[in-house]
């Protein structure tokens, strides 16, 4: 069981308290994925129409990663603008970098920054595991459906339901990874190592719509094979 949220870096939502992090761990969540870069330093507007490459680290988001670490919940980082990902990694303390499970290159139509081998190398040069996040409607136009990156782990967003009201019930079978509805980029079937399954879930007893999170199913065997994991 995993979850992702960008509420801190986007300037919305509340920080989880230490007791809420304990509740999240006790509920069975193993992985926390967040964006520790201030939104306006990586995106031109609320929809991230264009990339901004200032890439300023948000201290509050880093504090949430520290709190996850303190209760032994695995954590990873992503940035909506992939050009900011290495800054998201190096913006963590050396201790947090040493336990970072993976780093996600977010390939979406907004801001439509394509993944390159250079961006991948920027992650691996820092000793971290690269993961690609995308969906068919983004990968095909941005990457021309390239299969050149299919050797990297995929976080697939295809099966998510983004229209449910808060607090949305967990999807059927969660956290099972379902077969991809439409293959793309050389990935197919249950190839994704992470699957984004639903938005607007409530965890940790916060019960606040501004703190709704996206639920992720994470391949447990893959997670345990990574260099950095609890």
């Amino acid at each position: 069981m995993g979850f992702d949220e960008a509420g801190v870096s986007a300037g919305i939502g509340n920080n989880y308290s230490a007791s809420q992090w304990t509740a999240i761990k006790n509920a069975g969540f193993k992985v926390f994925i967040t964006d520790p870069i201030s939104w306006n330093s990586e995106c031109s507007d609320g929809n991230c129409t264009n990339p901004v490459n200032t890439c300023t680290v948000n201290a509050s988001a880093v504090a949430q990663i520290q709190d996850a670490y303190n209760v032994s919940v695995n954590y990873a980082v992503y940035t909506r603008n992939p050009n900011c990902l290495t800054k998201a990694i190096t913006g963590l303390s050396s201790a947090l970098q040493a336990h970072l499970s993976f780093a996600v290159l977010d390939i979406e139509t907004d801001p439509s920054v394509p993944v390159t081998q250079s961006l991948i190398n920027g992650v691996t040069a820092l000793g971290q595991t690269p993961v690609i996040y995308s969906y068919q409607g983004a990968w095909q136009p941005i990457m021309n459906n390239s299969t050149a990156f299919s050797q990297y782990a995929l976080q697939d967003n295809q099966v998510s339901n983004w229209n449910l009201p808060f607090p949305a019930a967990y999807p059927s079978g969660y956290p099972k990874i379902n077969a991809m509805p439409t293959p793309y980029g050389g990935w197919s079937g249950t190839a994704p190592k992470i699957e984004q399954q639903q938005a607007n879930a409530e965890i940790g007893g916060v019960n606040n719509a501004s703190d709704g999170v996206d639920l992720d199913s994470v391949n447990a065997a893959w997670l345990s094979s990574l260099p950095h994991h609890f």
Side-chain angles (χ1 to χ4, degrees):
M1 294 170 62
F3 71 103
D4 63 81
E5 65 91 22
V8 175
S9 63
I12 58 175
N14 303 313
N15 297 341
Y16 288 114
S17 67
S19 62
Q20 287 163 345
W21 274 110
T22 298
I24 288 167
K25 179 187 179 181
N26 290 343
F29 286 92
K30 305 293 186 184
V31 185
F32 166 55
I33 308 171
T34 196
D35 182 348
I37 299 296
S38 296
W39 186 262
N40 61 6
S41 74
E42 62 175 325
C43 290
S44 60
D45 53 36
N47 294 321
C48 204
T49 304
N50 295 299
V52 176
N53 299 318
T54 309
C55 308
T56 303
V57 175
N58 184 311
S60 295
V62 174
Q64 290 288 283
I65 294 173
Q66 180 68 57
D67 287 345
Y69 173 87
N70 290 345
V71 296
S72 299
V73 169
N74 295 293
Y75 52 88
V77 295
Y78 76 95
T79 54
R80 183 64 173 264
N81 174 1
N83 292 324
C84 291
L85 188 58
T86 55
K87 185 62 179 289
I89 297 170
T90 58
L92 303 180
S93 68
S94 57
L96 289 178
Q97 287 185 54
H99 200 88
L100 184 67
S101 291
F102 51 89
V104 183
L105 294 127
D106 191 346
I107 310 305
E108 299 193 50
T109 50
D110 297 307
S112 294
V113 176
V115 66
T116 63
Q117 193 59 50
S118 177
L119 286 173
I120 294 281
N121 292 346
V123 173
T124 58
L126 294 171
Q128 305 299 337
T129 299
V131 170
I132 292 172
Y133 170 92
S134 199
Y135 51 96
Q136 181 201 21
W139 191 263
Q140 288 186 336
I142 296 171
M143 299 299 299
N144 196 28
N145 208 30
S146 170
T147 61
F149 298 92
S150 60
Q151 72 269 36
Y152 299 106
L154 173 69
Q155 180 181 2
D156 181 36
N157 123 323
Q158 279 192 95
V159 301
S160 303
N161 186 338
W162 300 103
N163 299 313
L164 295 174
F166 178 89
Y170 289 9
S172 176
Y174 178 73
K176 180 180 179 181
I177 293 178
N178 300 304
M180 296 173 68
T182 307
Y184 62 89
W187 298 286
S188 62
T190 55
K193 302 304 183 186
I194 310 168
E195 189 171 77
Q196 208 168 27
Q197 294 212 357
Q198 193 149 286
N200 293 320
E202 193 282 326
I203 64 173
V206 180
N207 200 28
N208 183 328
S210 352
D211 290 300
V213 302
D214 305 327
L215 299 178
D216 301 305
S217 294
V218 182
N219 182 300
W222 170 75
L223 181 65
S224 66
S225 74
L226 298 179
H228 314 142
H229 69 275
F230 286 114

